[in-house]
Amino acid sequence: MVGYDPQADGRNISSSEVAVAGSVSGLVTRVMISPLDVIKIRFQLQIERLSRSDPSAKYHGILQAARQILLEEGPTAFWKGHVPAQLLSIGYGAVQFLSFELLTELVHRASRYDARDFSVHFVCGGLSASAATLAVHPVDVLRTRFAAQGEPKVYKTLRDAVVTMYRTEGPLVFYKGLNPTLIAIFPYAGFQFSFYSALKHVHEWLMPAKGKKNENLKNLLCGSGAGVISKTLTYPLDLFKKRLQVGGFEQARATFGQVRSYRGLLDCAQQVLREEGPRGFFKGLSPSLLKAALSTGFVFFWYELFCNLFHHMKKVDS
């Protein structure tokens, strides 16, 4: 079970093991979903409509974008920014799951609320994700820049990117897009954790006999469902974040089509609405939902799997 469960005293997992399980789940999942992440970012940053009817649109569908990227940039392009993305996933997973476990335990010990309630998981999930975001946001900016750049590359290596960005844009460049990220991540992660728990209860209610038999499949399916619901409810803020993170990086996107500069979150939202219409807020939603289903499902799947593995190892040792 993700989060503190007062009825599961038998699962004796230390804080370091929780952090390791969160890190490894993020690492494995990131390798698997990186191509979808690159396509999603390209869609989010495209000003032109994602439609075949727009002759100036570089990308207009998932398969078309995959073929185009493969043809122009080669197969390694689907893992552009993979090193910072892995650092992001490892650090984020460790901080998020450890914070969530500690917060839900704190709620149980310091209040009258049930640590397994939907509302408790929503608040604790949001707070844990906010803490993780503050810890790894600079790496997220680097990941977005690498995934967004075309050929020839502006940044050759991770070190080159850090030095160049710091010299040309100052230290605050590493926190571009932080406001919409924090605004979006609290409800997104809150919904992830709360819907994951709720969907598991629904699954157990619908199929009580198969609950323990198909535990891993249940974790995967419930995680996927939670990811899709959460991403749909909070998607526009993710798009604003990506647009703001590539501010000052326009020269690297000249080959992709039009570029825009935004003064902040509100200006970004107004420009998108004015130029691209309400549908502009949901550019890249299809690959994003596919990515959310896979990433959230696999993150919870691997996390629960590694926590159970640590628990069984302790039982064997004792």
Side-chain angles (χ1 to χ4, degrees), residues 5-316:
D5 185 355
Q7 294 182 1
D9 295 327
R11 201 184 88 170
N12 183 24
I13 306 291
S14 69
S15 296
S16 60
E17 288 168 335
V18 167
V20 169
S23 293
V24 177
S25 68
L27 185 152
V28 176
T29 302
R30 174 62 62 182
V31 175
M32 300 169 71
I33 56 90
S34 181
L36 280 170
D37 201 28
V38 170
I39 293 172
K40 181 204 75 166
I41 291 172
R42 297 289 179 90
F43 282 9
Q44 288 178 324
L45 299 179
Q46 181 169 295
I47 304 299
E48 295 81 5
R49 285 189 305 146
L50 295 167
S51 172
R52 287 188 180 89
S53 61
D54 189 341
S56 59
K58 187 175 181 67
Y59 306 122
H60 50 73
I62 296 176
L63 292 178
Q64 178 270 335
R67 286 195 297 267
Q68 190 90 354
I69 293 169
L70 183 63
L71 182 66
E72 295 179 352
E73 305 168 55
T76 57
F78 294 110
W79 281 269
K80 274 188 174 179
H82 192 61
V83 173
Q86 279 293 14
L87 294 174
L88 170 68
S89 297
I90 293 168
Y92 188 92
V95 176
Q96 182 184 36
F97 280 104
L98 178 57
S99 299
F100 186 74
E101 294 281 343
L102 294 174
L103 286 169
T104 49
E105 183 175 0
L106 179 64
V107 168
H108 171 71
R109 300 190 186 284
S111 74
R112 56 185 175 80
Y113 292 101
D114 188 335
R116 298 163 297 174
D117 280 353
F118 186 94
S119 58
V120 171
H121 274 215
F122 178 82
V123 174
C124 292
L127 289 173
S128 64
S130 297
T133 297
L134 287 170
V136 301
H137 190 75
V139 184
D140 190 23
V141 174
L142 288 164
R143 185 277 307 254
T144 300
R145 292 283 182 104
F146 272 100
Q149 70 178 349
E151 299 291 340
K153 294 182 177 69
V154 175
Y155 307 129
K156 307 300 182 186
T157 64
L158 183 60
R159 182 180 181 278
D160 176 47
V162 172
V163 172
T164 303
M165 288 167 65
Y166 184 84
R167 285 178 179 171
T168 58
E169 302 175 66
L172 292 181
V173 66
F174 298 108
Y175 286 91
K176 278 192 172 181
L178 180 62
N179 288 341
T181 302
L182 289 175
I183 293 170
I185 201 65
F186 187 97
Y188 176 61
F191 283 134
Q192 271 187 329
F193 280 96
S194 51
F195 276 113
Y196 176 67
S197 178
L199 288 172
K200 286 184 74 173
H201 289 310
V202 171
H203 184 280
E204 289 162 4
W205 178 70
L206 291 173
M207 292 181 283
K210 296 182 180 180
K212 293 293 180 185
K213 199 178 294 182
N214 298 315
E215 191 73 23
N216 291 331
L217 179 61
K218 177 181 72 174
N219 295 338
L220 181 62
L221 292 176
C222 293
S224 297
V228 169
I229 295 169
S230 307
K231 179 57 71 176
T232 303
L233 292 173
T234 61
Y235 186 76
L237 285 164
D238 188 38
L239 182 137
F240 301 152
K241 177 187 80 170
K242 291 296 186 292
R243 295 280 180 102
L244 292 170
Q245 283 181 335
V246 295
F249 190 56
E250 289 79 10
Q251 78 280 6
R253 298 199 46 75
T255 60
F256 291 95
Q258 300 179 55
V259 293
R260 293 288 184 274
S261 295
Y262 305 109
R263 293 189 299 274
L265 175 59
L266 186 59
D267 179 53
C268 181
Q270 289 173 338
Q271 285 198 50
V272 172
L273 180 62
R274 183 172 61 251
E275 298 182 9
E276 304 166 56
R279 293 180 66 179
F281 293 137
F282 293 91
K283 275 184 175 173
L285 181 62
S286 297
S288 188
L289 288 182
L290 185 55
K291 178 206 163 190
L294 292 172
S295 62
T296 308
F298 279 117
V299 161
F300 282 119
F301 170 83
W302 290 114
Y303 175 76
E304 297 255 33
L305 192 67
F306 282 111
C307 282
N308 288 329
L309 178 62
F310 288 138
H311 171 62
H312 289 308
M313 287 170 62
K314 283 190 172 181
K315 284 178 69 176
V316 170

